[in-house]
Amino acid sequence: MLTAAQITDMIDSGAMTWDGELRGDALLLRLGSPLQPLVSPGTPMVIDLADQRSIDALYRSPRPDWHSFDLKSGQLVLCPVAQPLRLGAMLAGAIAGLSHVARLGLATHVTSPWVLAGWHGHLTLELRNHGPATLRIYRGMPIGRLIVFPLSGPPGKSPSHPFYGKTDSPLGSRFADEFPSDEYLR
């Protein structure tokens, strides 16, 4: 992984862009806007992953002007990182939560922590409260970090993602749009 000095050198040389802070040898990730809640835990519904309208029904309206939000136990919300990130073609990253919030039961990503080489845009965090109590979160609060790694060889083709990372992109899943059901339902 890169050290803080190496990250600073990468930023200064233009190999990556980051206007946010560093915390140790990582980028400090703060909550941005909008915040997008999913339906309440326990809501009876079946989401058909082959149908984008079904997937879209899982999401409540984004809250662009949010200041604070009470994240109930078991609840999941989506929220972009406040600062955009651009990784050069020879850099990749891994999202990690801050142990302070993890010890309260707050997870900052649900599965894949990886940020591929060439990423450009706002990372979206999947915040889930695994703890027993409601947690109040705030826009701008530090929530995680991104560890940056150099690639050890030439990268594979890494085009910009057609659905995620742009300021006006939806935060929710675009699974059925990217992987049409005619590719796997036969």
Side-chain angles (χ1 to χ4, degrees), residues 74-87:
Q75 189 173 18
L76 178 68
V77 297
L78 304 177
C79 189
V81 170
Q83 297 83 9
L85 168 69
R86 184 187 60 77
L87 291 176

Side-chain angles (χ1 to χ4, degrees), residues 92-108:
I95 297 169
L98 296 178
S99 61
H100 297 301
V101 295
R103 293 173 189 184
L104 299 169
L106 183 60
T108 57

Side-chain angles (χ1 to χ4, degrees), residues 158-174:
S158 182
S160 63
H161 202 283
F163 300 111
Y164 305 125
K166 299 167 192 66
T167 304
D168 59 348
S169 298
L171 298 177
S173 172
R174 307 311 305 165

Side-chain angles (χ1 to χ4, degrees), residues 146-186:
L146 184 81
I147 299 165
V148 182
F149 297 93
L151 297 183
S152 60
K157 185 178 180 192
S158 182
S160 63
H161 202 283
F163 300 111
Y164 305 125
K166 299 167 192 66
T167 304
D168 59 348
S169 298
L171 298 177
S173 172
R174 307 311 305 165
F175 181 83
D177 285 342
E178 185 166 355
F179 300 103
S181 61
D182 61 352
E183 293 179 0
Y184 55 89
L185 292 179
R186 302 191 202 282

